[in-house]
Amino acid sequence: MGNTILEIKNVQKIFHTGDKDVEAIRNVNFNVEEGEFISIIGASGCGKTTLLRLIAGLEKKYGGDILLDGKRVEKAGLDRGVIFQDHRLLPWLTVEENLILGLEGKKEELREQVNIYLKKVDLENFEKVYPGQLSGGMAQRVSIARALMRHPRILLLDEPLGALDALTRMNMQTEIGRIREEEKTTMIMVTHDIDEAIYLGDRVVVMKPRPAEVDQIINIEIPRPRLRSGEDFAFYRNSIINIFNHSIMDYAI
Ligand SMILES: Nc1ncnc2c1ncn2[C@@H]1O[C@H](COP(=O)(O)OP(=O)(O)OP(=O)(O)O)[C@@H](O)[C@H]1O
Ligand SMILES: [Mg+2]
């Protein structure tokens, strides 16, 4: 760590819809270091997805600057992988076909990559299966493998575990943490789940209600592997809950 990979400077986004404008993001500023895991948490509708879409280059017009390796983000690119709440695998292709879609290289080499990455997400021997035959957690793991196989500079995750039951979700958090240790990929994950944000994050960015502004950025100084039942974990959980309580009160006034 130490190198800044992403700079988010005075970022603003206004959607022009019909006769009214929606200010989704007001003035967001933070940097991301190479290899860092950033969790973003905030109320529904506050602009988290919009921010990720901006970083991904999926929304083109915005104010301020998003600099990836010093270059302003203006369009989508393979240097950014995106994982959404739903897995978005193509149902008519097998797992293997989904994984190699759009990649160039010799067939045997691609197959080898498929095996390596399926192993990383604990899905060895699932290459010939269709997405419809997988559980939600398994399909989401395939989409993580698909993103990692493209070696993105940054992996952007928008509530990737939102559709999973609590137990699968916890297992998947552990798995994402393990993959991140192995791959050292810089990751930015949006979540609604405070524990998930703390469990995975080096830092947690807490957003204010709409329009999105950064409320606080919290360094999570718990050694890994982290225990969700630890006292230090409870301390961070309470701190974040307190930030939300205050911002809800401010909002109501
Ligand atoms: N394409 C769009 N056109 C118009 N308004 C939009 C568009 N996309 C998002 N918005 C508005 O911007 C605001 C932020 O939306 P966004 O989806 O970023 O919120 P979010 O924090 O991801 O919410 P959630 O936690 O529910 O996913 C909302 O008021 C939303 O209605
Ligand atoms: Mg969202």
Side-chain angles (χ1 to χ4, degrees):
M1 264 192 247
N3 278 341
T4 301
I5 183 168
L6 186 76
E7 294 162 76
I8 299 173
K9 290 183 176 173
N10 305 324
V11 168
Q12 187 200 36
K13 174 71 189 174
I14 296 172
F15 289 107
H16 305 286
T17 50
D19 54 353
K20 72 173 174 59
D21 289 347
V22 178
E23 188 183 18
I25 293 181
R26 178 162 285 174
N27 186 21
V28 171
N29 286 284
F30 63 92
N31 287 353
V32 180
E33 305 285 295
E34 191 158 13
E36 210 179 7
F37 195 112
I38 298 282
S39 302
I40 299 180
I41 194 159
S44 178
C46 80
K48 304 177 297 296
T49 295
T50 304
L51 182 60
L52 274 202
R53 287 178 55 83
L54 287 171
I55 300 169
L58 298 170
E59 298 284 349
K60 289 181 183 66
K61 285 198 177 142
Y62 65 94
D65 288 310
I66 298 175
L67 305 177
L68 176 62
D69 291 317
K71 262 186 64 191
R72 194 174 195 272
V73 169
E74 313 223 297
K75 57 178 182 349
L78 288 176
D79 51 1
R80 282 145 292 153
V82 190
I83 292 176
F84 300 94
Q85 185 169 358
D86 51 336
H87 57 73
R88 306 205 180 177
L89 299 171
L90 299 177
W92 57 89
L93 297 181
T94 63
V95 164
E96 178 174 74
E97 288 162 349
N98 267 285
L99 289 179
I100 63 177
L101 189 70
L103 290 182
E104 286 175 14
K106 287 200 189 114
K107 229 179 179 158
E108 306 84 73
E109 281 166 17
L110 290 174
R111 284 231 168 96
E112 199 180 306
Q113 288 295 307
V114 166
N115 289 336
I116 290 171
Y117 279 89
L118 282 182
K119 201 168 168 190
K120 277 190 197 289
V121 296
D122 259 342
L123 284 175
E124 254 178 309
N125 305 323
F126 278 88
E127 62 271 23
K128 299 288 178 238
V129 167
Y130 286 89
Q133 298 168 284
L134 300 170
S135 72
M138 290 158 95
Q140 201 53 307
R141 277 184 276 159
V142 174
S143 71
I144 292 172
R146 180 177 57 176
L148 289 173
M149 265 182 72
R150 282 144 182 84
H151 302 292
R153 287 283 284 151
I154 299 199
L155 190 58
L156 305 166
L157 305 110
D158 192 2
E159 298 191 49
L161 312 181
L164 305 178
D165 66 274
L167 202 60
T168 310
R169 187 169 184 145
M170 252 177 14
N171 289 335
M172 286 285 291
Q173 288 164 3
T174 309
E175 205 136 349
I176 290 177
R178 186 180 51 73
I179 290 169
R180 182 263 175 145
E181 291 290 313
E182 270 177 35
E183 296 281 309
K184 313 269 184 252
T185 309
T186 309
M187 300 191 187
I188 304 179
M189 181 187 69
V190 165
T191 177
H192 275 127
D193 185 319
I194 296 177
D195 278 21
E196 185 167 291
I198 300 169
Y199 181 75
L200 285 166
D202 295 312
R203 287 188 292 156
V204 177
V205 176
V206 184
M207 310 294 291
K208 288 184 187 168
R210 193 168 69 86
E213 278 184 277
V214 174
D215 193 333
Q216 285 193 39
I217 299 181
I218 299 168
N219 283 320
I220 308 294
E221 287 166 8
I222 311 176
R224 296 172 194 270
R226 293 178 173 169
L227 267 187
R228 294 174 182 81
S229 53
E231 258 176 47
D232 40 7
F233 209 102
F235 166 80
Y236 286 110
R237 187 185 293 129
N238 289 337
S239 309
I240 294 175
I241 290 171
N242 280 334
I243 298 171
F244 280 131
N245 284 340
H246 280 130
S247 70
I248 288 166
M249 281 192 302
D250 289 350
Y251 201 53
I253 288 167

